[in-house]
Amino acid sequence: MQDIKEKIEELRREKDAVIFAHYYQTMDIQNIADEVGDSFALAKKAQAAKEQVIVLCGVRFMAESAKALNPEKTVLLPVPKAGCPMADMITPEDVRKLKAQYPDAAVMCYVNSSAEVKAESDVCCTSSSALRVARSLKEERIIFIPDQNLGAYVAQKIPEKTFIFFNGYCPIHHKVLEEDAVKAKAAHPDALLAVHPECPPAVQKLADFIGSTAEILEYVADSPKEEFIIGTEQGVIDRLAQTAPEKKTYLLSPGLLCQDMKKTRIEDVLYSLEHHVHEVFLPEKERIGAFKSLERMMRA
Ligand code: 13P
Ligand code: SF4
């Protein structure tokens, strides 16, 4: 392992590369990354990156966002099969139909979507920027795509606007049941419950805190409390074990493991740097469309 790390370090310098990782990546990957963040932070870092090569350890939509925001750079996705099933639930045609049905509404698109879908939208959001973005829109009516649960969270916080939802969901977070939360709270009565807004509304209702991966990490680290039930992917618990070992954490339900996020192994990062693969390309029209929606999110 030390050998692999040294080789990665050498290649990173030689190729003028920077390694970004999402909090759902394994700790092996998080520990070799230059930056670890939630989707919003990774997009921001990618936009500002000075290095010629960005190695994005995450899933495809994250690498596509990096490419859309910083097209001069080479963006590498070490495992090309690492996708997001939620992003695959909506097509550009679905968006066009919704726009035709509600012509006065703004289309707000969760970044967990393809570049083509972003290009059909007016503005993007991440879980940590969604409230800010929705409030910044002048339209009273918002078509929120594709995540119905994040959409419900935003709608509940912003009652002055009307929302139209799409029926997409994250297969991992959406599986968490209200009864899982009730059981976990009964088993750990002193623990606070922190969940991702991709969890269903019934679970959100029982939570002490709702936020993005980065916001959950911050909430736990800053809280005077010691015990937490975590309603998001296992990677966040693994990170807390390293960064806040004094806290006791419990995963809300055993199914909170994103297979796509776990596809990247340290060997794939090495291979990616050695062979300059797998480069992300976007057709220029799509890239410009996605860029506009992402850039508008950044300005909100
Ligand atoms: P964050 O923006 O909170 O990191 O979430 C990304 C994601 O894919 C959640 O499932
Ligand atoms: Fe997509 Fe869910 Fe995995 Fe996040 S956890 S990348 S939303 S499948």
Side-chain angles (χ1 to χ4, degrees):
M1 182 71 91
Q2 196 48 38
D3 200 29
I4 294 192
K5 282 187 189 166
E6 278 164 19
K7 281 191 200 153
I8 289 176
E9 190 47 45
E10 216 174 280
L11 284 166
R12 175 171 32 194
R13 267 186 268 121
E14 196 181 297
K15 309 242 165 161
D16 188 24
V18 64
I19 302 174
F20 293 151
H22 186 265
Y23 288 124
Y24 294 165
Q25 295 285 291
T26 63
M27 286 314 292
D28 272 1
I29 302 291
Q30 293 193 35
N31 286 335
I32 54 148
D34 296 288
E35 301 283 352
V36 186
D38 67 0
S39 307
F40 188 78
L42 294 179
K44 260 211 123 54
K45 296 276 176 200
Q47 190 177 30
K50 298 272 182 290
E51 293 80 359
Q52 194 40 48
V53 178
I54 299 171
V55 181
L56 205 310
C57 301
V59 291
R60 177 162 293 277
F61 76 79
M62 295 176 174
E64 285 186 353
S65 295
K67 183 68 186 175
L69 285 163
N70 207 340
E72 305 299 312
K73 309 293 176 185
T74 301
V75 177
L76 303 178
L77 178 64
V79 179
K81 291 193 306 264
C84 168
M86 165 157 36
D88 298 335
M89 288 178 187
I90 186 162
T91 65
E93 186 50 31
D94 292 324
V95 188
R96 285 193 285 273
K97 276 191 198 148
L98 282 164
K99 288 202 287 193
Q101 220 179 326
Y102 304 99
D104 63 324
V107 181
M108 185 168 156
C109 173
Y110 191 26
V111 283
N112 298 39
S113 52
S114 68
E116 268 178 295
V117 164
K118 288 183 178 75
E120 282 291 343
S121 306
D122 294 303
V123 65
C124 284
C125 73
T126 64
S127 52
S128 57
S129 63
L131 295 176
R132 188 167 68 245
V133 170
R135 288 192 179 110
S136 76
L137 297 174
K138 65 174 188 332
E139 289 86 349
E140 187 275 324
R141 212 201 279 247
I142 298 175
I143 300 170
F144 192 96
I145 57 168
D147 187 13
Q148 55 181 284
N149 295 328
L150 177 62
Y153 170 71
V154 176
Q156 187 254 324
K157 290 277 182 195
I158 309 182
E160 63 277 19
K161 292 197 186 253
T162 314
F163 289 82
I164 295 115
F165 302 117
F166 186 77
N167 59 4
Y169 57 87
C170 160
I172 290 104
H173 289 85
H174 194 62
K175 267 202 309 228
V176 179
L177 302 173
E178 186 181 0
E179 65 192 67
D180 295 336
V182 171
K183 268 194 215 155
K185 280 167 88 100
H188 308 289
D190 293 331
L192 293 175
L193 172 63
V195 308
H196 198 278
E198 287 176 10
C199 290
V203 175
Q204 294 179 24
K205 241 185 226 150
L206 294 171
D208 298 288
F209 181 77
I210 304 169
S212 76
T213 51
E215 288 166 339
I216 291 175
L217 287 161
E218 202 181 301
Y219 172 74
V220 172
D222 293 351
S223 167
K225 290 272 198 165
E226 266 175 32
E227 290 184 61
F228 300 85
I229 303 159
I230 304 295
T232 193
E233 212 266 353
Q234 173 73 42
V236 168
I237 293 242
D238 296 342
R239 181 145 190 106
L240 283 166
Q242 188 173 299
T243 57
E246 70 286 5
K247 307 279 180 178
K248 272 195 206 143
T249 54
Y250 316 100
L251 197 60
L252 173 51
S253 76
L256 281 163
L257 200 73
C258 176
Q259 298 299 342
D260 281 273
M261 282 284 186
K262 301 301 193 227
K263 281 179 181 155
T264 321
R265 298 162 313 141
I266 197 154
E267 291 81 0
D268 300 312
V269 179
L270 177 61
Y271 190 87
S272 170
L273 279 164
E274 273 174 338
H275 301 276
H276 212 70
V277 289
H278 298 271
E279 188 168 355
V280 173
F281 295 104
L282 293 172
E284 192 54 7
K285 197 168 158 234
E286 222 174 81
R287 190 201 67 77
I288 292 172
F291 171 80
K292 281 185 187 153
S293 299
L294 285 161
E295 163 67 15
R296 198 167 164 197
M297 164 181 80
M298 297 296 189
R299 279 188 281 108

